[in-house]
Amino acid sequence: MESNCTKCNENIYFACRKAAASYNDKLSSRESAAELLGISPSTLANHELGITKNVPVDTVVMMADLYHAPQLKNLYCKNECPIGKGLPVATEFNSLEGITVRLLGNLDDDEIRNMKKRLLNIAADGKVDEKERGEFEAIMKNLDALAKTISELRMLAEKYLERSGGNGAD
């Protein structure tokens, strides 16, 4: 399952609405989509054309829910929210197979065990000294990659389970 809301040269809000229109005819027109969102068609046009620089968070959440596009929330958090900008959050997803391979690759038993030992050694004295800094940064980089992959899987699951009514059938 690919995220079809990230086409080149298209605004993400427009692309996600158009993708959602494939299973909800009411989203094929800006006017009816705006009505469902409780905003004016001109406001939706401003969001979709990139005229609005900061789309209100409540509108992003409504769009994400209506369009079944959880990546809109993650994009907002990653690009607009001062707290989320520094977090390892995925903003797009591809296939379940690719995510699973990356996730299981990052969860290799030997690698996790080794990382655990290294982290315990670093934490033993309650501080990260200059000698341990590089190793600690490498551990954090691995954990951030894992967190981002988990975030990607969560987005895909939210989209898949939401659309299927939570029963796993598409």
Side-chain angles (χ1 to χ4, degrees):
M1 176 182 298
E2 291 200 8
S3 170
N4 52 4
C5 295
T6 55
K7 297 175 188 167
C8 294
N9 301 324
E10 278 191 354
N11 174 287
I12 189 68
Y13 301 113
F14 174 76
C16 287
R17 179 175 61 81
K18 284 301 185 183
S22 69
Y23 56 84
N24 183 345
D25 289 339
K26 292 180 181 178
L27 298 175
S28 58
S29 82
R30 191 172 280 151
E31 290 73 21
S32 54
E35 185 179 327
L36 291 169
L37 290 166
I39 60 176
S40 72
S42 63
T43 298
L44 182 56
N46 288 341
H47 299 335
E48 291 184 349
L49 296 171
I51 295 168
T52 306
K53 294 302 173 205
N54 294 312
V55 178
V57 67
D58 58 330
T59 302
V60 173
V61 171
M62 287 188 301
M63 286 180 181
D65 292 344
L66 181 63
Y67 303 164
H68 301 290
Q71 66 272 33
L72 291 177
K73 292 185 274 188
N74 285 23
L75 277 164
Y76 180 88
C77 289
K78 190 70 178 166
N79 297 322
E80 302 301 326
C81 174
I83 296 170
K85 283 183 179 184
L87 298 177
V89 175
T91 56
E92 57 186 47
F93 57 89
N94 291 304
S95 68
L96 177 59
E97 298 88 351
I99 296 168
T100 302
V101 167
R102 280 195 323 275
L103 182 63
L104 295 179
N106 285 330
L107 291 175
D108 176 68
D109 289 343
D110 293 334
E111 193 173 319
I112 292 289
R113 199 174 359 267
N114 182 28
M115 189 170 31
K116 206 166 83 172
K117 286 178 185 177
R118 291 178 10 229
L119 188 55
L120 280 170
N121 287 334
I122 292 169
D125 62 0
K127 62 183 183 211
V128 180
D129 63 36
E130 201 55 43
K131 219 170 52 173
E132 299 166 327
R133 186 177 178 90
E135 190 171 13
F136 186 67
E137 286 175 353
I139 291 168
M140 292 310 302
K141 186 176 178 181
N142 287 341
L143 292 174
D144 282 349
L146 181 59
K148 191 169 182 179
T149 304
I150 290 168
S151 171
E152 190 176 353
L153 182 61
R154 290 182 65 79
M155 262 194 309
L156 184 129
E158 185 178 332
K159 183 172 184 79
Y160 179 73
L161 296 175
E162 174 90 15
R163 206 183 208 172
S164 66
N167 63 11
D170 217 12

